Amino acid sequence: FSKSSAEILMWAHYADKHKGICVEYDFQDKDIDIPNKLIENLTKKYKLKLQESMFSGCIELPDFSIIGNVDVSGAVSMFSGCSKLEKLTIDTSIKDKIPMYMCTRCDSLTDVIGIENFNEIDENAFSYCEKLTDVDLSNIKIIRKQAFAINGHKKIDLSSTEIIETQAFAFNDQLEEVIVLSESTSNCSQYMLFLLQNTLSIGTLAY
């Protein structure tokens, strides 16, 4: 965001080298949800491609919805450091992979809706989200390294997961139960196999 629509640095860096459009908002209405309204309005007419670090460090952002005609594949670090982000909702029609570092260090994040529609979670996507305790991973095929490191999970269902990389769930101190199909363990990192062998309880579908 900028106070001036002619800000050269904004156009050069965030608008893909002086291409794109500029949307003006009236900030006199203090209750307007600027980021969510921006996405909602643009996706009604355009295929919106979210870019790197778009809302990184927005410390007053409590919730965010990604809906409609949106490409999230390039949204690396999009919400990183959004310390008050509690809820992220992703439209069920969006099935790209969750990009790396998308929500890393979102200290207050407790709810991610729509994540189960994705095939892949890239590295560090939700690392350091210590309040994230209950995420539906039952349909995820690939979980990259440290994707959920330092979370608060007590139970994780990886019954559909085919690839689990190094430290995907490292330092989940509250973890008690892991459900995983035996066929998928051939693609687990050694760390993940160690984790599976040392959980307090392993579900009936587990290795």
Side-chain angles (χ1 to χ4, degrees):
F1 292 98
S2 172
K3 292 182 178 180
S4 171
S5 61
E7 176 59 56
I8 296 299
L9 289 177
M10 292 287 287
W11 279 102
H13 185 67
Y14 295 106
D16 191 18
K17 299 178 182 178
H18 306 278
K19 294 182 291 184
I21 61 173
C22 178
V23 179
E24 181 177 346
Y25 280 91
D26 184 358
F27 282 86
Q28 292 180 3
D29 183 354
K30 301 299 181 182
D31 295 326
I32 190 171
D33 185 351
I34 297 298
N36 280 308
K37 286 295 183 183
L38 176 63
I39 299 296
E40 181 181 347
N41 291 341
L42 288 177
T43 54
K44 289 178 180 178
K45 292 186 177 181
Y46 306 100
K47 171 72 172 180
L48 184 62
K49 185 173 183 179
L50 302 182
Q51 300 293 327
E52 181 176 348
S53 304
M54 281 185 71
F55 301 104
S56 177
C58 292
I59 59 174
E60 298 298 326
L61 184 65
D63 69 270
F64 198 98
S65 297
I66 302 175
I67 58 176
N69 196 21
V70 178
D71 176 3
V72 302
S73 60
V76 175
S77 301
M78 184 171 177
F79 302 107
S80 63
C82 293
S83 56
K84 291 188 179 180
L85 183 65
E86 298 177 0
K87 180 179 180 181
L88 175 63
T89 303
I90 306 174
D91 195 300
T92 57
S93 65
I94 304 173
K95 302 184 185 299
D96 303 310
K97 73 176 180 180
I98 297 287
M100 63 177 67
Y101 297 97
M102 186 177 187
C103 292
T104 187
R105 298 188 183 278
C106 289
D107 304 332
S108 302
L109 187 63
T110 59
D111 199 2
V112 181
I113 300 172
I115 192 174
E116 67 275 8
N117 298 300
F118 288 79
N119 290 320
E120 180 179 343
I121 311 296
D122 211 342
E123 61 183 77
N124 282 284
F126 296 96
S127 59
Y128 295 93
C129 296
E130 296 185 51
K131 292 185 178 180
L132 193 59
T133 60
D134 186 17
V135 177
D136 185 358
L137 303 176
S138 59
N139 294 321
I140 306 299
K141 300 298 183 185
I142 302 171
I143 300 178
R144 299 297 183 188
K145 62 181 181 180
Q146 298 185 338
F148 294 95
I150 314 181
N151 282 191
H153 296 287
K154 290 187 177 181
K155 175 181 177 179
I156 49 177
D157 182 353
L158 304 174
S159 56
S160 295
T161 308
E162 299 172 358
I163 298 175
I164 307 168
E165 290 190 347
T166 303
Q167 296 188 324
F169 295 91
F171 304 107
N172 275 251
D173 297 338
Q174 305 300 313
L175 189 59
E176 298 176 354
E177 182 175 357
V178 177
I179 301 175
V180 58
L181 288 177
S182 58
E183 302 95 275
S184 67
T185 58
S186 61
N187 290 318
C188 285
S189 68
Q190 290 299 310
Y191 175 86
M192 193 62 196
L193 290 175
F194 172 81
L195 174 64
L196 295 179
Q197 292 166 1
N198 288 275
T199 51
L200 298 179
S201 173
I202 297 181
T204 55
L205 296 177
Y207 166 73

